[in-house]
Amino acid sequence: MTSKLYKNRFELFFISQLLILFGSLIIPIEFFRETLMPILFLFNIASGIILISKKKIHTWGLIILFCVSLLLLAINIVQQKDDDALSFIGFGVYFLFYATVTVEIIRQVWNAKEVNKNVIVGLMSGYVSLGLIAFFVFSSIELSDPGAFKGLLFQGTDFSGKLDSLLYYSYITVLTIGYGDIVPVTSIAQKAAMFVGLCGQFYIVIITAVVVQKFLAFNDSREKKD
């Protein structure tokens, strides 16, 4: 069972990411945000534990993060209100999780001897993880310095109302599309946006290019054998 889950580790992780990002398209937004989103993040962490399970030290680290996430979820259910301190802790937990898993995904994709469906899905999930890392960075900045990003307030004056806009902005920045509807207006926010944009470009130019080169080399060697 464990070996089968590990074999499909990238698919499990990628599916959980897609559910987090696009589940609200088919489920009422309030119910999704308040009830399903925390559960999906827990499922995402669990699939990340499977993905990184070959490294025991990192696995135990993710298990600890999973337990902290469960504790934060329980506290939020009991309090039934937003708490800035808990939000900071939560963002830190998820940032550490996605940073650790993204590095491991890149390592596994980079070291793959042949490019198959599993590697391609891993490549995509690594790129999606960059957007989620950016989301937690930008959210922490906005939480600590409200108004750091201009264009979020139409979602509402409370912080939770800004999260969808921050998620959108995170991926627009990783993709380097830059529509200009949301703009970083403080120094730290601007530098964070620059860093995220560079990471997105480095991933495409370096990691994706290496995978494509391996794919072409593998196909070329297979054709020569035939």
Side-chain angles (χ1 to χ4, degrees):
M1 180 66 178
T2 304
S3 60
K4 186 175 181 180
L5 287 174
Y6 185 79
K7 183 179 179 181
N8 298 298
R9 62 195 182 281
F10 290 133
E11 286 88 343
L12 289 171
F13 192 69
F14 187 55
I15 289 171
S16 64
Q17 288 177 317
L18 293 181
L19 290 174
I20 289 170
L21 292 177
F22 305 115
S24 60
L25 293 176
I26 57 177
I27 298 172
I29 183 65
E30 291 300 325
F31 175 75
F32 179 81
R33 182 187 297 163
E34 300 297 329
T35 304
L36 287 185
M37 182 74 86
I39 296 173
L40 289 174
F41 270 116
L42 290 176
F43 173 62
N44 194 230
I45 292 179
S47 60
I49 292 173
I50 295 171
L51 191 151
I52 210 169
S53 60
K54 296 294 184 181
K55 291 192 171 183
K56 299 302 181 184
I57 295 178
H58 291 166
T59 300
W60 280 109
L62 291 191
I63 289 174
I64 292 172
L65 292 181
F66 181 81
C67 293
V68 173
S69 299
L70 276 176
L71 179 61
L72 292 175
L73 177 60
I75 294 174
N76 283 329
I77 292 174
V78 172
Q79 289 187 344
Q80 293 184 340
K81 65 177 182 178
D82 293 331
D83 187 302
D84 288 353
L86 289 179
S87 295
F88 267 121
I89 295 173
F91 291 143
V93 167
Y94 289 124
F95 174 82
L96 288 174
F97 165 71
Y98 281 108
T100 301
V101 173
T102 301
V103 170
E104 178 62 17
I105 289 174
I106 292 174
R107 188 192 70 82
Q108 292 186 25
V109 168
W110 186 278
N111 293 332
K113 291 185 169 38
E114 64 180 66
V115 178
N116 51 28
K117 181 192 74 172
N118 201 36
V119 172
I120 297 299
V121 174
L123 183 70
M124 292 189 295
S125 65
Y127 195 66
V128 173
S129 292
L130 288 181
L132 290 170
I133 290 173
F135 168 67
F136 295 117
V137 171
F138 293 152
S139 296
S140 297
I141 293 172
E142 179 64 23
L143 184 61
S144 62
D145 184 15
F149 297 92
K150 182 181 178 182
L152 300 176
L153 295 181
F154 72 92
Q155 294 285 352
T157 56
D158 63 314
F159 176 72
S160 61
K162 303 176 183 179
L163 293 179
D164 285 339
S165 290
L166 286 167
L167 182 62
Y168 157 78
Y169 175 71
S170 299
Y171 280 95
I172 292 301
T173 306
V174 169
L175 293 166
T176 63
I177 295 174
Y179 289 122
D181 50 346
I182 298 174
V183 182
V185 293
T186 65
S187 177
I188 187 67
Q190 291 170 347
K191 290 179 179 179
M194 289 167 56
F195 180 74
V196 168
L198 284 173
C199 288
Q201 287 299 295
F202 288 158
Y203 191 96
I204 293 174
V205 172
I206 299 174
I207 308 301
T208 304
V210 167
V211 172
V212 171
Q213 189 273 333
K214 284 185 177 183
F215 176 76
L216 294 174
F218 176 73
N219 278 353
D220 185 57
S221 62
R222 189 168 57 182
E223 288 176 0
K224 287 181 179 178
K225 288 180 181 179
D226 293 340

